[in-house]
Amino acid sequence: MPVSAMSDANFPVDDQGRTYHVECKHGDIANRLVTVGDPARARLMAKKFDKIVFEHSSHRGFLIITGIYRGVPITVVSIGMGLSMMDFFVREVRAVVDGPLVIIRFGSCGSICDAQPGNIIVADSAYGIMRNYDHFTNPAKKNEEPYIITDKVPADSALTKNLTEKLKGFMGGDKVFVGANGCADSFYGSQGRLGSHFRDENTGLIQRLKKTYSDAVSLEMEAHMLYHLAAASTDGEGNPTIRAACAIIVFAGRNGNTFITPEQSVIAVENCTKSIFETLYEDNLGGAELHPTEGSV
Ligand code: R1P
Ligand code: URA
């Protein structure tokens, strides 16, 4: 249940202006954001803050932690999994923050390149992979491809460049890979995982992705929605208001059927947190805020 009564069916908010799902209001969220899937990852990141100034868990599973890092406010939000959760997050934080937003997704993925579990992939672009639902249930559409692959949407190039440099500095250059990320609407069928309980028709899917995009490196479930909404964001005059990038830890090695160990995960989260916070600390919000301060959250 929401914490209090809502008004406005078009964009529901409570009597204090709190959004319906993320439950954030003006003043809760910084212009510099990190979004993660797992609340435990958000809490580990928050340990690197000098202090925490706001924390809230929403009834729909969003965890918001706003803290101060080297004098600069940064908000970490854990959103759970999938395209809809990214959509809720981006639209609801956009509604309660004035000025530009810079958002770095810090997630996990499966590698379809040489990157091994524990390595980091920077998604310099992302594309969608959707099950073509009608293909499976409408005999007239049986000839269509079982999966729809969208065009690539680029990440913000300056943000990606700085993030990649920081990750290479903290992790070592040989552990950081850059390329196109496939963002699927399932962990299973549309990431080419095989099983016998459903007709998924996906045995050749990963090969098709690599053929479509020679720089295809990884598979996860939110990056394309983030880049798409950043590209579709507008200040009313056609100028985008959101810049975005992604650093994703390889959890599953899809080529060699390997998986990350807990120890590798701890090291990766530690080094990525430093890299992401330093990248956000140095970002000047496109010149909108050259001297960020603690009081500006
Ligand atoms: C699947 O296990 C989840 O892990 C990945 C996928 O995108 C999906 O959300 O990212 P997170 O670790 O950020 O949740
Ligand atoms: N997250 C995904 O979406 N896929 C993987 O293989 C690993 C993490």
Side-chain angles (χ1 to χ4, degrees):
M1 293 282 289
V3 281
S4 45
M6 293 284 142
S7 58
D8 189 351
N10 183 61
F11 194 90
V13 286
D14 72 7
D15 56 5
Q16 290 174 52
R18 238 183 247 116
T19 64
Y20 187 23
H21 309 91
V22 182
E23 290 176 0
C24 54
K25 60 176 178 12
H26 272 98
D28 293 345
I29 309 281
N31 295 78
R32 294 172 177 79
L33 287 126
V34 185
T35 173
V36 301
D38 184 344
R41 197 178 307 145
R43 293 207 182 278
L44 279 176
M45 294 193 88
K47 287 189 178 172
K48 298 283 174 218
F49 283 143
D50 304 326
K51 68 174 175 186
I52 291 173
V53 294
F54 177 79
E55 184 170 332
H56 180 70
S57 287
S58 90
H59 74 292
R60 290 290 188 172
F62 294 88
L63 169 66
I64 306 167
I65 308 175
T66 297
I68 305 301
Y69 178 80
R70 298 180 64 195
V72 174
I74 294 176
T75 298
V76 179
V77 184
S78 83
I79 65 169
M81 294 177 274
L83 301 168
S84 310
M85 296 299 272
M86 182 59 85
D87 187 72
F88 284 127
F89 158 72
V90 175
R91 289 177 191 271
E92 294 189 21
V93 299
R94 179 61 288 178
V96 301
V97 182
D98 297 329
L101 290 180
V102 54
I103 303 177
I104 296 180
R105 164 164 156 70
F106 176 32
S108 64
C109 68
S111 165
I112 55 171
C113 66
D114 291 339
Q116 300 301 311
N119 292 169
I120 308 302
I121 287 180
V122 178
D124 65 356
S125 70
Y127 58 94
I129 310 160
M130 270 164 306
R131 192 174 180 92
N132 181 359
Y133 300 94
D134 293 347
H135 164 91
F136 292 89
T137 53
N138 180 349
K141 299 201 173 165
K142 194 67 201 149
N143 292 334
E144 293 181 2
E145 286 282 359
Y147 295 90
I148 296 161
I149 302 170
T150 74
D151 289 348
K152 291 197 273 193
V153 180
D156 182 83
S157 56
L159 193 62
T160 298
K161 185 167 177 285
N162 200 12
L163 179 62
T164 307
E165 278 168 12
K166 293 280 179 293
L167 286 163
K168 285 186 173 172
F170 284 112
M171 293 284 300
D174 58 332
K175 298 202 169 47
V176 180
F177 294 71
V178 181
N181 173 76
C183 174
D185 62 358
S186 166
F187 183 81
Y188 298 103
S190 47
Q191 288 190 31
R193 287 192 161 88
L194 308 177
S196 58
H197 295 293
F198 301 93
R199 290 181 289 111
D200 286 328
E201 299 180 36
N202 62 354
T203 46
L205 180 59
I206 291 179
Q207 277 316 112
R208 186 176 156 219
L209 301 176
K210 289 182 177 174
K211 205 170 157 203
T212 306
Y213 295 122
S214 58
D215 60 343
V217 282
S218 54
L219 297 172
E220 52 78 81
M221 298 176 64
E222 295 85 11
H224 179 246
M225 180 63 85
L226 174 60
Y227 291 179
H228 167 75
L229 288 175
S233 66
T234 177
D235 62 0
E237 293 172 7
N239 305 306
T241 67
I242 302 174
R243 292 181 300 123
C246 287
I248 31 188
I249 308 172
V250 176
F251 271 27
R254 297 299 304 281
N255 294 342
N257 202 19
T258 48
F259 213 84
I260 195 167
T261 63
E263 295 75 24
Q264 286 172 320
S265 177
V266 168
I267 293 168
V269 171
E270 171 83 15
N271 287 321
C272 287
T273 301
K274 287 189 258 181
S275 308
I276 291 167
F277 281 0
E278 282 297 311
T279 302
L280 289 172
Y281 171 80
E282 286 179 8
D283 194 273
N284 72 358
L285 299 179
E289 187 201 44
L290 294 170
H291 302 288
T293 60
E294 192 168 319
S296 64
V297 68

